[in-house]
Amino acid sequence: MNHATPRAEAHPPLEQLAVEPLICRDYEQRPAFYYERLRAAHGPVAPVDVLGVPIWLVIGYPQVLDVLRDPRDIWSKRLDNWRAYTEGRVPADWPLMPAMQADNSIFRDGAELSRLRGAWIAGLRPFQERGRPQARELEHAISQYADDLITVLGEGSGRAGMADLAAQYARPLPLMISNRLLGFTDGRGEELLMDMWRLVDAGPDAAEAQARLLAAVRDLCARAKTNPGDDLPGHMAAAAPDLTVEELTRELFMVVALIGDYCGTLITGTVLEVIGGESGARDSLSAGLIQEAVNRAALASPPMANLTLRFPRTDVRMGRYTIAAGDPVILSVAAAHGDPAFTGGQTPDSVYSSRAHVAWGAGPHACVARDLATTITTIAVGRLFERFSMLRLALPPDQLPWRSSPLMRSLRSLPVHYELAERRTAPASGGAAPTPPAEPRTEREAQQQEARLSLTRRFLRALRIG
């Protein structure tokens, strides 16, 4: 690929360059403006400060895509290729360090990465391939969880009211799905569901919640190694019997973040784009193209705005800078999507948005759960707009509160005014969403529904939002 770049300039090492903070008001409230300012000042890569550590931020689309694909095998995700880390110059309490030290497939290369990704691909296959019974059962469960949350959300307010769709719907739903995928079906399921929330919410008790969750996942993995069940741990263990319990535990612990946090963020982002954005998502949804609405939302506001660190094994020229071997690099997906090199050929009124975006990554580390995440989000958004006849933002878009994170871009809350729709018997436009929930036909169905609703009420009350 031929990239037109300025002549490389002689410059001091990264540690001696003037950097501006990544986390700032513009980054949180006006990210497109922030990235464009960096692009104007530095080109496709800029030196920034990430919570006290200098890092190269790659903001050009061609450059991001080239690093992701890594055709010359230059880029590593392993910490031992980070020069400042091996030399002891990274603060031990750097906020991103616990994630970087997770030692799972996100931070592996080469044969190790291929081995672990193979286990993921095989383990997820029953839940991602639409014709499999496990996938059909999971889709039904997702619809039930969504309907239960919406039912509880609307209790006590008649047909109209106000709700926080982030806290009361988009974020709890994927955690309930994660709970099911991991196989937490015993009496501890409800307790562990709350620990997932504590971990994702990053509150004061997140460390204790992480320890309990890790122990529970380790127990699941130990059982899966000897007696695989029809859940994600069981299918991964059966597909890759050479994985140790510790390896399997480290991989499956990512489910809480990859499904719980990522999907929750994508659901919220899709809803926001539909009711308050300018990406064309509302038109896509009204045409019955819910998956297209999800794609537009992922392009306009990717949940992983910036990806975890990479390190070049050799010096790399990029734009006007030379990135030295062992320098830390963050790829900005959000900035790449705003690069004129990516947006130049698109028309705002196009019915379909580009599939060339990098919200799901690319190359060796491309997301293996893309189909599952898309299914979860499509059903969640479809159920929401099937059950509500009106959703309207309760705040102007520029006043919505965003979580302050160097990696994820997600809303703290999404307050809306709503009106519940009358029950209908026809499916949503285009058949993308199931029909509205039917009234229980038998006493047993009624008891099962009430048990689910009771769990949902307890969950939301425990979050102090129900």
Side-chain angles (χ1 to χ4, degrees):
M1 185 179 295
N2 183 21
H3 303 153
T5 56
R7 181 185 298 274
E9 301 172 357
H11 58 82
L14 174 62
E15 294 80 1
Q16 297 176 19
L17 288 173
V19 295
E20 59 179 290
L22 177 66
I23 303 298
C24 62
R25 182 172 177 78
D26 280 342
Y27 169 78
E28 293 178 355
Q29 297 295 332
R30 300 191 298 168
F33 172 82
Y34 174 80
Y35 293 129
E36 195 52 44
R37 179 160 54 82
L38 285 182
R39 203 184 321 275
H42 298 280
V45 61
V48 298
D49 175 276
V50 180
L51 305 175
V53 173
I55 287 175
W56 294 108
L57 186 71
V58 182
I59 55 181
Y61 174 80
Q63 291 77 16
V64 166
L65 187 59
D66 186 62
V67 175
L68 285 172
R69 290 176 172 170
D70 194 17
R72 293 164 291 171
D73 194 27
I74 290 173
W75 298 91
S76 174
K77 297 293 296 291
R78 296 188 61 90
L79 272 182
D80 53 15
N81 283 299
W82 186 2
R83 192 177 61 258
Y85 176 78
T86 59
E87 294 173 358
R89 293 187 285 110
V90 180
D93 59 351
W94 190 50
L96 294 186
M97 190 54 70
M100 294 293 300
Q101 293 174 328
D103 196 25
N104 51 44
S105 55
I106 290 178
F107 306 103
R108 300 290 186 91
D109 303 323
E112 287 184 339
L113 173 62
S114 297
R115 170 173 166 265
L116 294 170
R117 281 176 64 86
W120 273 111
I121 291 168
L124 286 167
R125 186 173 294 120
F127 306 100
Q128 294 203 115
E129 293 185 355
R130 301 292 296 274
R132 298 286 192 103
Q134 296 92 340
R136 291 195 296 269
E137 291 170 7
L138 181 61
E139 289 185 22
H140 178 69
I142 296 167
S143 296
Q144 279 194 333
Y145 294 148
D147 283 323
D148 291 344
L149 284 166
I150 293 169
T151 297
V152 172
L153 181 153
E155 286 178 341
S157 60
R159 286 192 57 235
M162 186 173 175
D164 178 354
L165 289 184
Q168 291 175 268
Y169 184 73
R171 296 181 69 195
L173 175 60
L175 295 179
M176 298 166 80
I177 298 164
S178 300
N179 212 34
R180 178 187 175 92
L181 278 171
L182 287 171
F184 288 138
T185 55
D186 56 18
R188 298 183 63 197
E190 186 174 340
E191 169 194 341
L192 294 170
L193 185 60
M194 279 306 309
D195 276 340
M196 289 183 192
W197 175 270
R198 295 182 183 105
L199 178 60
V200 170
D201 199 47
D205 48 0
E208 292 81 0
Q210 177 174 326
R212 289 191 295 267
L213 266 176
L214 193 59
V217 173
R218 187 177 291 109
D219 289 344
L220 278 180
C221 293
R223 290 200 298 271
K225 290 284 291 181
T226 57
N227 186 25
D230 193 14
D231 49 30
L232 184 56
H235 285 283
M236 287 185 69
D242 61 322
L243 286 181
T244 67
V245 170
E246 285 305 314
E247 286 178 316
L248 195 56
T249 299
R250 288 195 295 266
E251 294 304 304
L252 284 165
F253 193 70
M254 291 192 291
V255 168
V256 178
L258 295 182
I259 293 179
D261 210 8
Y262 189 98
C263 286
T265 299
L266 186 56
I267 294 168
T268 307
T270 303
V271 174
L272 178 59
E273 285 298 321
V274 171
I275 64 178
E278 300 177 354
S279 70
R282 183 188 293 272
D283 294 336
S284 296
L285 193 66
S286 63
L289 304 174
I290 297 181
Q291 286 195 11
E292 175 58 22
V294 175
N295 188 67
R296 287 181 181 270
L299 190 159
S301 184
M304 283 289 291
N306 303 307
L307 304 179
T308 50
L309 295 182
R310 285 167 167 78
F311 318 98
R313 297 185 179 91
T314 186
D315 292 359
V316 177
R317 176 189 167 186
M318 196 172 292
R320 69 188 63 172
Y321 294 108
T322 297
I323 300 175
D327 275 358
V329 171
I330 284 180
L331 305 180
S332 178
V333 173
H337 289 178
D339 187 354
F342 175 73
T343 62
Q346 298 184 59
T347 57
D349 58 350
S350 174
V351 174
Y352 290 95
S353 55
S354 173
R355 260 53 180 178
H357 66 70
V358 288
W360 303 102
H365 282 274
C367 179
V368 295
R370 174 176 180 168
D371 290 345
L372 177 58
T374 300
T375 296
I376 291 170
T377 307
T378 299
I379 293 175
V381 174
R383 296 311 301 138
L384 199 66
F385 285 95
E386 184 74 17
R387 296 286 304 276
F388 292 107
S389 59
M390 185 276 287
L391 285 172
R392 177 169 50 84
L393 288 177
L395 286 175
D398 60 357
Q399 293 182 23
L400 292 171
W402 293 90
R403 290 166 65 189
S404 181
S405 166
L407 302 178
M408 298 287 293
R409 176 167 171 78
S410 61
L411 286 168
R412 290 186 180 277
S413 63
L414 181 58
V416 298
H417 298 288
Y418 68 81
E419 288 182 9
L420 286 166
E422 298 288 349
R423 287 189 179 275
R424 298 188 295 172
T425 57
S429 299
T435 56
E439 293 291 345
R441 291 173 296 181
T442 66
E443 182 177 348
R444 181 179 181 183
E445 286 181 347
Q447 291 173 345
Q448 290 173 337
Q449 183 185 68
E450 182 52 38
R452 294 197 318 270
L453 291 174
S454 178
L455 170 61
T456 303
R457 293 186 193 102
R458 291 195 303 272
F459 185 29
L460 295 183
R461 277 200 302 268
L463 304 181
R464 299 180 181 177
I465 56 178

